[in-house]
Amino acid sequence: MVKAEILKALRSKSSYLSGTQLATRLGISRAALWKHLKKLRELGYRIEAAPRCGYKLLSSPDKLYSFEVISRLSTEIMGKEVYFNEALSSTQDVARQLAGKGASEGTLVLAEQQTAGRGRLGRSWLSPPGGLWFSLILRPKEFSLLLLPVVAGAALLLTFEEKLQVSASLKWPNDVLINNRKVAGILAEGERELDVVHFVILGVGININNPPPEELMYPATSLSKELGRQMNRAGLLAYFLQKFEELYLLLQEGRSEEIIQAIQPKLAFLPTEICLKQGTRELQGRIVGLQKDGGLVLRLPSGRKQTFYSGEITPI
Ligand code: BTN
């Protein structure tokens, strides 16, 4: 992927990179390099060409082209294959089809917009342009549709805190909140037969530069609304994939307890009274923490502690 390599090379230097250096590094002719640079400019990249100095990347468009994402990655697994589409029904479905055909772990499917994005519990997920809507193919050793979203949530919190300096919380099991409003949701869908895990499709939706949806069950927000500025989505995605890969590898080594320990203080509604809804059943309690398998430990009004593995929580 030559364009990804050009962008990576240009981003690796704050000063100019000579055309000869760049072409040699990529193993292409100056003429071929020139054509790629022309195409990149047409796509909205501002690349300065200074006589006797070379090229310098001044700015990148906020687009999610595969080469743009790949150019920002230094991961080993996540995002090794990237499929970008302007519009898809749901990235979950496309990722599932690819996984069924043997696509490797870490394959990433993303779309500028989804026409039939879905959330948990059969809800629909509004996915207009400007957000980040993607799915990852995972082939974990241990199959946990509860732990994987919690781990992805932890990676999102780290991304928001470290890259954007904004503090966020995890609304168990799979929502990320900023100022008590939902900014991101996670959906893990598995394909298994008896005890054999085929794959998991981990979907993540983040409201970024899109207007946050209104009139939802839980109030929503977007990163741009919270931070008062638009942001580059590919940069954010690359940061998340790096963090998620680190935590995923810990999980694969059986070290989920370390992740849980770190995420626990970031749980939303700790230690206030919450309502847990499981289908038609509702109960009240106070969050005590998480089990190493991702289960939510509540202290019930009777004083007894109990662990739950599904449901939706809301503050009372
Ligand atoms: C939820 O909060 O209920 C989970 C939302 C998950 C949305 C993401 S967007 C990318 C991927 N494709 C989908 O159709 N859903 C997930």
Side-chain angles (χ1 to χ4, degrees), residues 18-52:
S18 87
T20 316
Q21 269 180 321
L22 197 51
T24 315
R25 189 159 154 181
L26 302 172
I28 57 173
S29 67
R30 289 292 301 266
L33 173 66
W34 189 84
K35 272 192 197 151
H36 284 294
L37 290 169
K38 182 170 175 285
K39 181 76 193 154
L40 284 169
R41 286 196 183 102
E42 283 165 14
L43 290 171
Y45 290 85
R46 284 176 55 233
I47 302 166
E48 188 190 331
R52 287 185 301 280

PDB file of all heavy atoms in Angstrom, residues 18-52:
ATOM      1  N   SER A  18      13.209  14.552   1.182  1.00  0.00           N
ATOM      2  CA  SER A  18      13.490  14.777  -0.246  1.00  0.00           C
ATOM      3  C   SER A  18      12.798  13.726  -1.101  1.00  0.00           C
ATOM      4  O   SER A  18      12.584  12.582  -0.664  1.00  0.00           O
ATOM      5  CB  SER A  18      15.001  14.759  -0.497  1.00  0.00           C
ATOM      6  OG  SER A  18      15.432  13.444  -0.712  1.00  0.00           O
ATOM      7  N   GLY A  19      12.459  14.111  -2.317  1.00  0.00           N
ATOM      8  CA  GLY A  19      11.779  13.212  -3.247  1.00  0.00           C
ATOM      9  C   GLY A  19      12.612  11.967  -3.501  1.00  0.00           C
ATOM     10  O   GLY A  19      12.078  10.854  -3.565  1.00  0.00           O
ATOM     11  N   THR A  20      13.935  12.149  -3.615  1.00  0.00           N
ATOM     12  CA  THR A  20      14.805  10.987  -3.885  1.00  0.00           C
ATOM     13  C   THR A  20      14.766  10.034  -2.693  1.00  0.00           C
ATOM     14  O   THR A  20      14.605   8.824  -2.840  1.00  0.00           O
ATOM     15  CB  THR A  20      16.267  11.472  -4.118  1.00  0.00           C
ATOM     16  OG1 THR A  20      16.211  12.611  -4.963  1.00  0.00           O
ATOM     17  CG2 THR A  20      17.121  10.396  -4.714  1.00  0.00           C
ATOM     18  N   GLN A  21      14.899  10.607  -1.500  1.00  0.00           N
ATOM     19  CA  GLN A  21      14.861   9.774  -0.284  1.00  0.00           C
ATOM     20  C   GLN A  21      13.558   8.995  -0.207  1.00  0.00           C
ATOM     21  O   GLN A  21      13.539   7.802   0.082  1.00  0.00           O
ATOM     22  CB  GLN A  21      14.942  10.669   0.953  1.00  0.00           C
ATOM     23  CG  GLN A  21      16.332  10.939   1.470  1.00  0.00           C
ATOM     24  CD  GLN A  21      16.223  11.832   2.703  1.00  0.00           C
ATOM     25  OE1 GLN A  21      15.414  12.750   2.768  1.00  0.00           O
ATOM     26  NE2 GLN A  21      17.044  11.549   3.689  1.00  0.00           N
ATOM     27  N   LEU A  22      12.478   9.719  -0.465  1.00  0.00           N
ATOM     28  CA  LEU A  22      11.145   9.132  -0.350  1.00  0.00           C
ATOM     29  C   LEU A  22      10.969   8.007  -1.368  1.00  0.00           C
ATOM     30  O   LEU A  22      10.533   6.897  -1.028  1.00  0.00           O
ATOM     31  CB  LEU A  22      10.105  10.237  -0.572  1.00  0.00           C
ATOM     32  CG  LEU A  22       8.675  10.000  -0.120  1.00  0.00           C
ATOM     33  CD1 LEU A  22       8.619   9.534   1.313  1.00  0.00           C
ATOM     34  CD2 LEU A  22       7.866  11.303  -0.252  1.00  0.00           C
ATOM     35  N   ALA A  23      11.347   8.271  -2.623  1.00  0.00           N
ATOM     36  CA  ALA A  23      11.187   7.262  -3.676  1.00  0.00           C
ATOM     37  C   ALA A  23      12.059   6.042  -3.382  1.00  0.00           C
ATOM     38  O   ALA A  23      11.614   4.899  -3.525  1.00  0.00           O
ATOM     39  CB  ALA A  23      11.534   7.874  -5.026  1.00  0.00           C
ATOM     40  N   THR A  24      13.291   6.275  -2.919  1.00  0.00           N
ATOM     41  CA  THR A  24      14.189   5.150  -2.623  1.00  0.00           C
ATOM     42  C   THR A  24      13.621   4.316  -1.485  1.00  0.00           C
ATOM     43  O   THR A  24      13.599   3.091  -1.526  1.00  0.00           O
ATOM     44  CB  THR A  24      15.596   5.682  -2.209  1.00  0.00           C
ATOM     45  OG1 THR A  24      15.953   6.707  -3.115  1.00  0.00           O
ATOM     46  CG2 THR A  24      16.634   4.593  -2.198  1.00  0.00           C
ATOM     47  N   ARG A  25      13.172   5.018  -0.454  1.00  0.00           N
ATOM     48  CA  ARG A  25      12.617   4.323   0.712  1.00  0.00           C
ATOM     49  C   ARG A  25      11.441   3.422   0.315  1.00  0.00           C
ATOM     50  O   ARG A  25      11.265   2.349   0.867  1.00  0.00           O
ATOM     51  CB  ARG A  25      12.155   5.396   1.711  1.00  0.00           C
ATOM     52  CG  ARG A  25      11.764   4.881   3.052  1.00  0.00           C
ATOM     53  CD  ARG A  25      11.854   6.025   4.036  1.00  0.00           C
ATOM     54  NE  ARG A  25      10.975   5.842   5.167  1.00  0.00           N
ATOM     55  CZ  ARG A  25      10.854   6.696   6.157  1.00  0.00           C
ATOM     56  NH1 ARG A  25      11.550   7.817   6.146  1.00  0.00           N
ATOM     57  NH2 ARG A  25      10.052   6.460   7.153  1.00  0.00           N
ATOM     58  N   LEU A  26      10.664   3.886  -0.655  1.00  0.00           N
ATOM     59  CA  LEU A  26       9.479   3.122  -1.054  1.00  0.00           C
ATOM     60  C   LEU A  26       9.763   2.161  -2.207  1.00  0.00           C
ATOM     61  O   LEU A  26       8.906   1.357  -2.571  1.00  0.00           O
ATOM     62  CB  LEU A  26       8.360   4.085  -1.488  1.00  0.00           C
ATOM     63  CG  LEU A  26       7.920   5.110  -0.454  1.00  0.00           C
ATOM     64  CD1 LEU A  26       6.967   6.102  -1.062  1.00  0.00           C
ATOM     65  CD2 LEU A  26       7.252   4.406   0.713  1.00  0.00           C
ATOM     66  N   GLY A  27      10.940   2.283  -2.771  1.00  0.00           N
ATOM     67  CA  GLY A  27      11.297   1.403  -3.885  1.00  0.00           C
ATOM     68  C   GLY A  27      10.488   1.697  -5.145  1.00  0.00           C
ATOM     69  O   GLY A  27      10.125   0.776  -5.882  1.00  0.00           O
ATOM     70  N   ILE A  28      10.159   2.982  -5.377  1.00  0.00           N
ATOM     71  CA  ILE A  28       9.406   3.349  -6.586  1.00  0.00           C
ATOM     72  C   ILE A  28      10.141   4.479  -7.318  1.00  0.00           C
ATOM     73  O   ILE A  28      11.031   5.122  -6.738  1.00  0.00           O
ATOM     74  CB  ILE A  28       7.948   3.802  -6.255  1.00  0.00           C
ATOM     75  CG1 ILE A  28       7.946   4.985  -5.273  1.00  0.00           C
ATOM     76  CG2 ILE A  28       7.123   2.648  -5.706  1.00  0.00           C
ATOM     77  CD1 ILE A  28       6.563   5.592  -5.044  1.00  0.00           C
ATOM     78  N   SER A  29       9.743   4.710  -8.554  1.00  0.00           N
ATOM     79  CA  SER A  29      10.396   5.766  -9.333  1.00  0.00           C
ATOM     80  C   SER A  29       9.888   7.145  -8.890  1.00  0.00           C
ATOM     81  O   SER A  29       8.817   7.245  -8.275  1.00  0.00           O
ATOM     82  CB  SER A  29      10.106   5.571 -10.823  1.00  0.00           C
ATOM     83  OG  SER A  29       8.727   5.782 -11.039  1.00  0.00           O
ATOM     84  N   ARG A  30      10.614   8.173  -9.252  1.00  0.00           N
ATOM     85  CA  ARG A  30      10.171   9.550  -8.943  1.00  0.00           C
ATOM     86  C   ARG A  30       8.849   9.848  -9.634  1.00  0.00           C
ATOM     87  O   ARG A  30       7.985  10.533  -9.090  1.00  0.00           O
ATOM     88  CB  ARG A  30      11.226  10.572  -9.396  1.00  0.00           C
ATOM     89  CG  ARG A  30      12.516  10.602  -8.593  1.00  0.00           C
ATOM     90  CD  ARG A  30      12.304  11.108  -7.176  1.00  0.00           C
ATOM     91  NE  ARG A  30      11.742  12.444  -7.096  1.00  0.00           N
ATOM     92  CZ  ARG A  30      12.431  13.555  -6.989  1.00  0.00           C
ATOM     93  NH1 ARG A  30      13.743  13.498  -6.956  1.00  0.00           N
ATOM     94  NH2 ARG A  30      11.831  14.729  -6.898  1.00  0.00           N
ATOM     95  N   ALA A  31       8.690   9.298 -10.840  1.00  0.00           N
ATOM     96  CA  ALA A  31       7.448   9.547 -11.601  1.00  0.00           C
ATOM     97  C   ALA A  31       6.254   8.913 -10.872  1.00  0.00           C
ATOM     98  O   ALA A  31       5.186   9.530 -10.740  1.00  0.00           O
ATOM     99  CB  ALA A  31       7.575   8.987 -13.003  1.00  0.00           C
ATOM    100  N   ALA A  32       6.460   7.687 -10.371  1.00  0.00           N
ATOM    101  CA  ALA A  32       5.369   7.001  -9.653  1.00  0.00           C
ATOM    102  C   ALA A  32       5.050   7.763  -8.361  1.00  0.00           C
ATOM    103  O   ALA A  32       3.877   7.949  -8.004  1.00  0.00           O
ATOM    104  CB  ALA A  32       5.770   5.565  -9.337  1.00  0.00           C
ATOM    105  N   LEU A  33       6.088   8.223  -7.691  1.00  0.00           N
ATOM    106  CA  LEU A  33       5.886   8.987  -6.455  1.00  0.00           C
ATOM    107  C   LEU A  33       5.060  10.240  -6.742  1.00  0.00           C
ATOM    108  O   LEU A  33       4.099  10.562  -6.026  1.00  0.00           O
ATOM    109  CB  LEU A  33       7.248   9.381  -5.851  1.00  0.00           C
ATOM    110  CG  LEU A  33       7.183  10.320  -4.649  1.00  0.00           C
ATOM    111  CD1 LEU A  33       6.521   9.634  -3.461  1.00  0.00           C
ATOM    112  CD2 LEU A  33       8.578  10.817  -4.255  1.00  0.00           C
ATOM    113  N   TRP A  34       5.406  10.903  -7.805  1.00  0.00           N
ATOM    114  CA  TRP A  34       4.719  12.141  -8.176  1.00  0.00           C
ATOM    115  C   TRP A  34       3.222  11.882  -8.399  1.00  0.00           C
ATOM    116  O   TRP A  34       2.381  12.642  -7.958  1.00  0.00           O
ATOM    117  CB  TRP A  34       5.389  12.720  -9.438  1.00  0.00           C
ATOM    118  CG  TRP A  34       4.885  14.085  -9.747  1.00  0.00           C
ATOM    119  CD1 TRP A  34       5.328  15.258  -9.210  1.00  0.00           C
ATOM    120  CD2 TRP A  34       3.810  14.417 -10.638  1.00  0.00           C
ATOM    121  NE1 TRP A  34       4.593  16.310  -9.706  1.00  0.00           N
ATOM    122  CE2 TRP A  34       3.654  15.831 -10.589  1.00  0.00           C
ATOM    123  CE3 TRP A  34       2.987  13.668 -11.475  1.00  0.00           C
ATOM    124  CZ2 TRP A  34       2.710  16.490 -11.349  1.00  0.00           C
ATOM    125  CZ3 TRP A  34       2.024  14.331 -12.223  1.00  0.00           C
ATOM    126  CH2 TRP A  34       1.896  15.728 -12.150  1.00  0.00           C
ATOM    127  N   LYS A  35       2.919  10.740  -9.071  1.00  0.00           N
ATOM    128  CA  LYS A  35       1.508  10.400  -9.337  1.00  0.00           C
ATOM    129  C   LYS A  35       0.745  10.166  -8.031  1.00  0.00           C
ATOM    130  O   LYS A  35      -0.382  10.617  -7.857  1.00  0.00           O
ATOM    131  CB  LYS A  35       1.431   9.121 -10.188  1.00  0.00           C
ATOM    132  CG  LYS A  35       1.475   9.388 -11.655  1.00  0.00           C
ATOM    133  CD  LYS A  35       1.110   8.132 -12.430  1.00  0.00           C
ATOM    134  CE  LYS A  35       1.545   8.270 -13.876  1.00  0.00           C
ATOM    135  NZ  LYS A  35       1.855   7.011 -14.510  1.00  0.00           N
ATOM    136  N   HIS A  36       1.379   9.456  -7.113  1.00  0.00           N
ATOM    137  CA  HIS A  36       0.718   9.195  -5.826  1.00  0.00           C
ATOM    138  C   HIS A  36       0.490  10.498  -5.049  1.00  0.00           C
ATOM    139  O   HIS A  36      -0.557  10.708  -4.439  1.00  0.00           O
ATOM    140  CB  HIS A  36       1.553   8.234  -4.973  1.00  0.00           C
ATOM    141  CG  HIS A  36       1.470   6.812  -5.430  1.00  0.00           C
ATOM    142  ND1 HIS A  36       0.312   6.075  -5.362  1.00  0.00           N
ATOM    143  CD2 HIS A  36       2.400   5.992  -5.966  1.00  0.00           C
ATOM    144  CE1 HIS A  36       0.538   4.860  -5.838  1.00  0.00           C
ATOM    145  NE2 HIS A  36       1.793   4.782  -6.214  1.00  0.00           N
ATOM    146  N   LEU A  37       1.485  11.371  -5.087  1.00  0.00           N
ATOM    147  CA  LEU A  37       1.350  12.648  -4.371  1.00  0.00           C
ATOM    148  C   LEU A  37       0.222  13.481  -4.973  1.00  0.00           C
ATOM    149  O   LEU A  37      -0.552  14.126  -4.258  1.00  0.00           O
ATOM    150  CB  LEU A  37       2.666  13.425  -4.405  1.00  0.00           C
ATOM    151  CG  LEU A  37       3.799  12.812  -3.561  1.00  0.00           C
ATOM    152  CD1 LEU A  37       5.122  13.498  -3.870  1.00  0.00           C
ATOM    153  CD2 LEU A  37       3.496  12.921  -2.069  1.00  0.00           C
ATOM    154  N   LYS A  38       0.121  13.427  -6.288  1.00  0.00           N
ATOM    155  CA  LYS A  38      -0.948  14.172  -6.986  1.00  0.00           C
ATOM    156  C   LYS A  38      -2.306  13.654  -6.517  1.00  0.00           C
ATOM    157  O   LYS A  38      -3.212  14.424  -6.185  1.00  0.00           O
ATOM    158  CB  LYS A  38      -0.770  13.994  -8.493  1.00  0.00           C
ATOM    159  CG  LYS A  38      -1.768  14.741  -9.348  1.00  0.00           C
ATOM    160  CD  LYS A  38      -1.332  14.687 -10.815  1.00  0.00           C
ATOM    161  CE  LYS A  38      -2.349  15.324 -11.737  1.00  0.00           C
ATOM    162  NZ  LYS A  38      -3.516  14.517 -11.960  1.00  0.00           N
ATOM    163  N   LYS A  39      -2.424  12.333  -6.472  1.00  0.00           N
ATOM    164  CA  LYS A  39      -3.692  11.719  -6.068  1.00  0.00           C
ATOM    165  C   LYS A  39      -4.019  12.088  -4.601  1.00  0.00           C
ATOM    166  O   LYS A  39      -5.167  12.424  -4.270  1.00  0.00           O
ATOM    167  CB  LYS A  39      -3.581  10.187  -6.217  1.00  0.00           C
ATOM    168  CG  LYS A  39      -4.835   9.433  -5.856  1.00  0.00           C
ATOM    169  CD  LYS A  39      -5.892   9.548  -6.945  1.00  0.00           C
ATOM    170  CE  LYS A  39      -7.242   9.075  -6.456  1.00  0.00           C
ATOM    171  NZ  LYS A  39      -8.367   9.633  -7.115  1.00  0.00           N
ATOM    172  N   LEU A  40      -2.990  12.050  -3.761  1.00  0.00           N
ATOM    173  CA  LEU A  40      -3.217  12.393  -2.349  1.00  0.00           C
ATOM    174  C   LEU A  40      -3.705  13.842  -2.216  1.00  0.00           C
ATOM    175  O   LEU A  40      -4.628  14.136  -1.452  1.00  0.00           O
ATOM    176  CB  LEU A  40      -1.932  12.191  -1.524  1.00  0.00           C
ATOM    177  CG  LEU A  40      -1.573  10.736  -1.203  1.00  0.00           C
ATOM    178  CD1 LEU A  40      -0.172  10.629  -0.622  1.00  0.00           C
ATOM    179  CD2 LEU A  40      -2.582  10.129  -0.232  1.00  0.00           C
ATOM    180  N   ARG A  41      -3.105  14.719  -3.010  1.00  0.00           N
ATOM    181  CA  ARG A  41      -3.536  16.135  -2.966  1.00  0.00           C
ATOM    182  C   ARG A  41      -4.987  16.261  -3.396  1.00  0.00           C
ATOM    183  O   ARG A  41      -5.763  17.007  -2.804  1.00  0.00           O
ATOM    184  CB  ARG A  41      -2.641  16.988  -3.859  1.00  0.00           C
ATOM    185  CG  ARG A  41      -1.268  17.208  -3.261  1.00  0.00           C
ATOM    186  CD  ARG A  41      -0.577  18.374  -3.976  1.00  0.00           C
ATOM    187  NE  ARG A  41       0.759  18.564  -3.472  1.00  0.00           N
ATOM    188  CZ  ARG A  41       1.861  18.157  -4.102  1.00  0.00           C
ATOM    189  NH1 ARG A  41       1.788  17.541  -5.260  1.00  0.00           N
ATOM    190  NH2 ARG A  41       3.042  18.376  -3.574  1.00  0.00           N
ATOM    191  N   GLU A  42      -5.335  15.497  -4.450  1.00  0.00           N
ATOM    192  CA  GLU A  42      -6.736  15.538  -4.925  1.00  0.00           C
ATOM    193  C   GLU A  42      -7.698  15.076  -3.828  1.00  0.00           C
ATOM    194  O   GLU A  42      -8.840  15.505  -3.757  1.00  0.00           O
ATOM    195  CB  GLU A  42      -6.908  14.634  -6.156  1.00  0.00           C
ATOM    196  CG  GLU A  42      -6.368  15.255  -7.436  1.00  0.00           C
ATOM    197  CD  GLU A  42      -6.205  14.225  -8.554  1.00  0.00           C
ATOM    198  OE1 GLU A  42      -6.738  13.106  -8.430  1.00  0.00           O
ATOM    199  OE2 GLU A  42      -5.523  14.551  -9.532  1.00  0.00           O
ATOM    200  N   LEU A  43      -7.228  14.176  -2.972  1.00  0.00           N
ATOM    201  CA  LEU A  43      -8.088  13.658  -1.901  1.00  0.00           C
ATOM    202  C   LEU A  43      -8.129  14.585  -0.684  1.00  0.00           C
ATOM    203  O   LEU A  43      -8.799  14.289   0.301  1.00  0.00           O
ATOM    204  CB  LEU A  43      -7.603  12.265  -1.467  1.00  0.00           C
ATOM    205  CG  LEU A  43      -7.820  11.153  -2.494  1.00  0.00           C
ATOM    206  CD1 LEU A  43      -7.103   9.872  -2.055  1.00  0.00           C
ATOM    207  CD2 LEU A  43      -9.304  10.872  -2.700  1.00  0.00           C
ATOM    208  N   GLY A  44      -7.381  15.683  -0.742  1.00  0.00           N
ATOM    209  CA  GLY A  44      -7.474  16.668   0.338  1.00  0.00           C
ATOM    210  C   GLY A  44      -6.247  16.774   1.226  1.00  0.00           C
ATOM    211  O   GLY A  44      -6.249  17.528   2.205  1.00  0.00           O
ATOM    212  N   TYR A  45      -5.192  16.001   0.914  1.00  0.00           N
ATOM    213  CA  TYR A  45      -3.955  16.112   1.707  1.00  0.00           C
ATOM    214  C   TYR A  45      -3.217  17.358   1.248  1.00  0.00           C
ATOM    215  O   TYR A  45      -3.094  17.581   0.037  1.00  0.00           O
ATOM    216  CB  TYR A  45      -3.067  14.879   1.516  1.00  0.00           C
ATOM    217  CG  TYR A  45      -3.660  13.656   2.158  1.00  0.00           C
ATOM    218  CD1 TYR A  45      -4.591  12.869   1.483  1.00  0.00           C
ATOM    219  CD2 TYR A  45      -3.326  13.299   3.464  1.00  0.00           C
ATOM    220  CE1 TYR A  45      -5.166  11.775   2.076  1.00  0.00           C
ATOM    221  CE2 TYR A  45      -3.899  12.193   4.066  1.00  0.00           C
ATOM    222  CZ  TYR A  45      -4.818  11.436   3.369  1.00  0.00           C
ATOM    223  OH  TYR A  45      -5.395  10.351   3.973  1.00  0.00           O
ATOM    224  N   ARG A  46      -2.758  18.154   2.197  1.00  0.00           N
ATOM    225  CA  ARG A  46      -1.966  19.340   1.822  1.00  0.00           C
ATOM    226  C   ARG A  46      -0.502  18.954   1.958  1.00  0.00           C
ATOM    227  O   ARG A  46      -0.001  18.755   3.076  1.00  0.00           O
ATOM    228  CB  ARG A  46      -2.339  20.532   2.709  1.00  0.00           C
ATOM    229  CG  ARG A  46      -3.690  21.133   2.279  1.00  0.00           C
ATOM    230  CD  ARG A  46      -4.110  22.251   3.204  1.00  0.00           C
ATOM    231  NE  ARG A  46      -3.128  23.293   3.329  1.00  0.00           N
ATOM    232  CZ  ARG A  46      -2.653  23.745   4.489  1.00  0.00           C
ATOM    233  NH1 ARG A  46      -3.090  23.243   5.633  1.00  0.00           N
ATOM    234  NH2 ARG A  46      -1.769  24.716   4.523  1.00  0.00           N
ATOM    235  N   ILE A  47       0.133  18.780   0.807  1.00  0.00           N
ATOM    236  CA  ILE A  47       1.543  18.365   0.809  1.00  0.00           C
ATOM    237  C   ILE A  47       2.345  19.465   0.124  1.00  0.00           C
ATOM    238  O   ILE A  47       2.142  19.747  -1.062  1.00  0.00           O
ATOM    239  CB  ILE A  47       1.722  17.014   0.082  1.00  0.00           C
ATOM    240  CG1 ILE A  47       0.860  15.942   0.761  1.00  0.00           C
ATOM    241  CG2 ILE A  47       3.197  16.596   0.078  1.00  0.00           C
ATOM    242  CD1 ILE A  47       0.696  14.672  -0.039  1.00  0.00           C
ATOM    243  N   GLU A  48       3.223  20.069   0.900  1.00  0.00           N
ATOM    244  CA  GLU A  48       4.024  21.165   0.348  1.00  0.00           C
ATOM    245  C   GLU A  48       5.232  20.594  -0.381  1.00  0.00           C
ATOM    246  O   GLU A  48       5.843  19.632   0.098  1.00  0.00           O
ATOM    247  CB  GLU A  48       4.489  22.053   1.515  1.00  0.00           C
ATOM    248  CG  GLU A  48       5.157  23.317   1.078  1.00  0.00           C
ATOM    249  CD  GLU A  48       5.814  24.039   2.256  1.00  0.00           C
ATOM    250  OE1 GLU A  48       5.340  23.902   3.409  1.00  0.00           O
ATOM    251  OE2 GLU A  48       6.812  24.704   2.012  1.00  0.00           O
ATOM    252  N   ALA A  49       5.542  21.155  -1.520  1.00  0.00           N
ATOM    253  CA  ALA A  49       6.753  20.751  -2.240  1.00  0.00           C
ATOM    254  C   ALA A  49       7.662  21.968  -2.299  1.00  0.00           C
ATOM    255  O   ALA A  49       7.303  22.970  -2.919  1.00  0.00           O
ATOM    256  CB  ALA A  49       6.399  20.287  -3.647  1.00  0.00           C
ATOM    257  N   ALA A  50       8.803  21.893  -1.630  1.00  0.00           N
ATOM    258  CA  ALA A  50       9.714  23.042  -1.626  1.00  0.00           C
ATOM    259  C   ALA A  50      10.948  22.695  -2.443  1.00  0.00           C
ATOM    260  O   ALA A  50      11.569  21.650  -2.206  1.00  0.00           O
ATOM    261  CB  ALA A  50      10.111  23.382  -0.191  1.00  0.00           C
ATOM    262  N   PRO A  51      11.307  23.565  -3.420  1.00  0.00           N
ATOM    263  CA  PRO A  51      12.468  23.271  -4.261  1.00  0.00           C
ATOM    264  C   PRO A  51      13.720  23.032  -3.405  1.00  0.00           C
ATOM    265  O   PRO A  51      13.950  23.741  -2.426  1.00  0.00           O
ATOM    266  CB  PRO A  51      12.622  24.546  -5.113  1.00  0.00           C
ATOM    267  CG  PRO A  51      11.327  25.279  -4.968  1.00  0.00           C
ATOM    268  CD  PRO A  51      10.693  24.857  -3.698  1.00  0.00           C
ATOM    269  N   ARG A  52      14.476  22.028  -3.751  1.00  0.00           N
ATOM    270  CA  ARG A  52      15.727  21.612  -3.087  1.00  0.00           C
ATOM    271  C   ARG A  52      15.535  21.088  -1.656  1.00  0.00           C
ATOM    272  O   ARG A  52      16.473  20.683  -1.008  1.00  0.00           O
ATOM    273  CB  ARG A  52      16.773  22.741  -3.099  1.00  0.00           C
ATOM    274  CG  ARG A  52      17.391  22.962  -4.483  1.00  0.00           C
ATOM    275  CD  ARG A  52      18.482  23.991  -4.438  1.00  0.00           C
ATOM    276  NE  ARG A  52      17.996  25.285  -3.937  1.00  0.00           N
ATOM    277  CZ  ARG A  52      17.321  26.166  -4.687  1.00  0.00           C
ATOM    278  NH1 ARG A  52      17.074  25.907  -5.945  1.00  0.00           N
ATOM    279  NH2 ARG A  52      16.918  27.308  -4.170  1.00  0.00           N
TER     280      ARG A  52
END
